[in-house]
Amino acid sequence: MKAAAALLALGLAVAPSVARAAPKPAAAPVAGLGCEAFMKEFPADAAGYRVSFERPLTIARGFGDMMSGIDVRVVSSDTKVDGTLKCKDDRFLRFELRATLPADAKILGDLDKFEIAALMAAFRWDRAKAETVERAMTADAGEYLRASVERGDLYNSGKVEYHQADRMDLGLIWTQADHTFVISAQSED
């Protein structure tokens, strides 16, 4: 009996160190976050805007390997919402949408629709879930911007971050100059 208790105590003492030494399992990729899939799904989810992804002319000097292998695409559409997609091979790195202010209600409405389409394409969410998340982020960013202005902050902004599936970050940043929406892969550093 004492031998069994001693073995159990030894096992309990060793188990935490073995658990710490074992490598953490890699986080499972989020469904639909390949760039090819995103570039196919986003225009379908933003129907009515004739959305396409185009390669811009890029001239870069002095960046060395920083931009090596990064594929940049810009959103071309029937609206004044700007968009940029960055990928490495087929791995999704970052998608950003921006509307410059002052903007009329149509442009801001188009930005909302593009944000919803991006959430649907990136996470394979249904429209109801994407709309709920987008509305919550928009309300929070607007409130934080109002509070920043009321406080008299040096830099007036409203920023909201949501972390999704331990792999992606969502951000909405409102300033008095623009509204920016970002989906970004978490770095592996």
Side-chain angles (χ1 to χ4, degrees), residues 57-132:
L57 174 63
T58 306
I59 300 172
R61 286 183 149 179
F63 291 105
D65 290 336
M66 186 170 74
M67 293 295 288
S68 177
I70 304 292
D71 185 22
V72 178
R73 304 282 179 118
V74 295
V75 173
S76 175
S77 71
D78 289 341
T79 185
K80 293 184 180 181
V81 174
D82 296 322
T84 305
L85 174 65
K86 292 182 181 177
C87 305
K88 185 162 183 124
D89 298 321
D90 191 40
R91 188 168 49 106
F92 183 102
L93 298 177
R94 182 180 178 94
F95 182 65
E96 184 173 315
L97 293 167
R98 173 173 293 154
T100 303
L101 298 179
D104 61 26
K106 181 185 179 334
I107 294 171
L108 295 177
D110 292 346
L111 177 62
D112 291 344
K113 290 176 184 171
F114 275 31
E115 290 170 1
I116 292 165
L119 292 170
M120 291 171 62
F123 297 104
R124 304 285 174 126
W125 289 347
D126 61 29
R127 184 166 300 279
K129 181 173 182 175
E131 287 174 347
T132 300

Side-chain angles (χ1 to χ4, degrees), residues 100-163:
T100 303
L101 298 179
D104 61 26
K106 181 185 179 334
I107 294 171
L108 295 177
D110 292 346
L111 177 62
D112 291 344
K113 290 176 184 171
F114 275 31
E115 290 170 1
I116 292 165
L119 292 170
M120 291 171 62
F123 297 104
R124 304 285 174 126
W125 289 347
D126 61 29
R127 184 166 300 279
K129 181 173 182 175
E131 287 174 347
T132 300
V133 170
E134 190 275 336
R135 276 193 303 265
M137 290 179 74
T138 298
D140 288 347
E143 180 58 34
Y144 295 150
L145 176 59
R146 280 187 292 281
S148 178
V149 170
E150 286 176 10
R151 282 192 307 269
D153 293 347
L154 184 60
Y155 180 75
N156 295 316
S157 70
K159 180 180 173 187
V160 179
E161 293 179 11
Y162 285 30
H163 304 284

Side-chain angles (χ1 to χ4, degrees), residues 8-23:
L8 178 62
L10 178 63
L12 290 175
V14 172
S17 64
V18 171
R20 279 190 298 260

